Amino acid sequence: MTPQDLVIRMLPPFGGWLALASLALPDGSPLRGAAVAAFLAVGPGAALVRVCGPALRARGAEGPAERGDADFAHHSDLLERLMLAVLLSVSAAILLSTVLIAAHALSGDRVLLTLTLLTTLAAFCPALRAGSPPGTTPRPAPGTTPPAASGAASGAAPPTRKGSTS
């Protein structure tokens, strides 16, 4: 991991901790409101989109066939990740607020602290691996036999469950 990757990975949690630090500013401060709103709008979702990034990039955008725009896929993927980050952030805030309401423990500070902790945890999670493209069969793990080579094709009887009579 390069230092640039580490900085990008830690931006959402840093925004959360900055928003928590801004709570020390006076009530009604525009800087306080901007820091909290910016983090709540994209912070948790950006960390989750980073975790799911390789799986999201496994299948690119499909544009109209008659357009020859080479930048379409790139811009479409960026817009998709941005919108997904915003919607995941809002969803996480709503879900957490609902849980805290049910527990009779709702406060803005608790929501912000919990989302910051969850964002920090997501930043430390490894990225998901991309799956195989649709319509292809996955490769077997090293040291295992492929599905076509086992079973009836190799002349062996199919496996039976313990205790079955067939």
Side-chain angles (χ1 to χ4, degrees):
M1 175 183 295
T2 65
Q4 183 181 6
D5 291 338
L6 184 64
V7 168
I8 291 172
R9 187 179 200 168
M10 291 298 149
L11 273 177
F14 178 72
W17 293 110
L18 187 67
L20 276 172
S22 73
L23 294 179
L25 295 173
D27 291 342
S29 169
L31 187 59
R32 177 181 180 174
V36 171
F39 172 71
L40 290 178
V42 293
L48 291 173
V49 167
R50 190 215 47 91
V51 169
C52 301
L56 291 172
R57 285 187 292 271
R59 185 166 180 170
E62 297 177 12
E66 63 271 359
R67 291 185 67 182
D69 191 5
D71 291 333
F72 174 80
H74 176 70
H75 294 304
S76 179
D77 287 342
L78 284 176
L79 182 61
E80 175 185 340
R81 285 193 296 259
L82 176 66
M83 290 307 300
L84 191 58
V86 170
L87 294 174
L88 282 173
S89 293
V90 171
S91 298
I94 290 172
L95 184 64
L96 178 63
S97 298
T98 303
V99 168
L100 290 176
I101 286 172
H104 301 289
L106 179 67
S107 76
D109 295 348
R110 282 190 185 124
V111 170
L112 191 59
L113 177 63
T114 307
L115 285 175
T116 300
L117 290 173
L118 290 175
T119 302
T120 304
L121 180 66
F124 287 118
C125 288
L128 296 176
R129 286 190 237 158
S132 58
T136 61
T137 58
R139 285 186 273 173
T144 61
T145 58
S150 64
S154 63
T160 59
R161 290 186 0 197
K162 186 177 179 179
S164 67
T165 58
S166 57

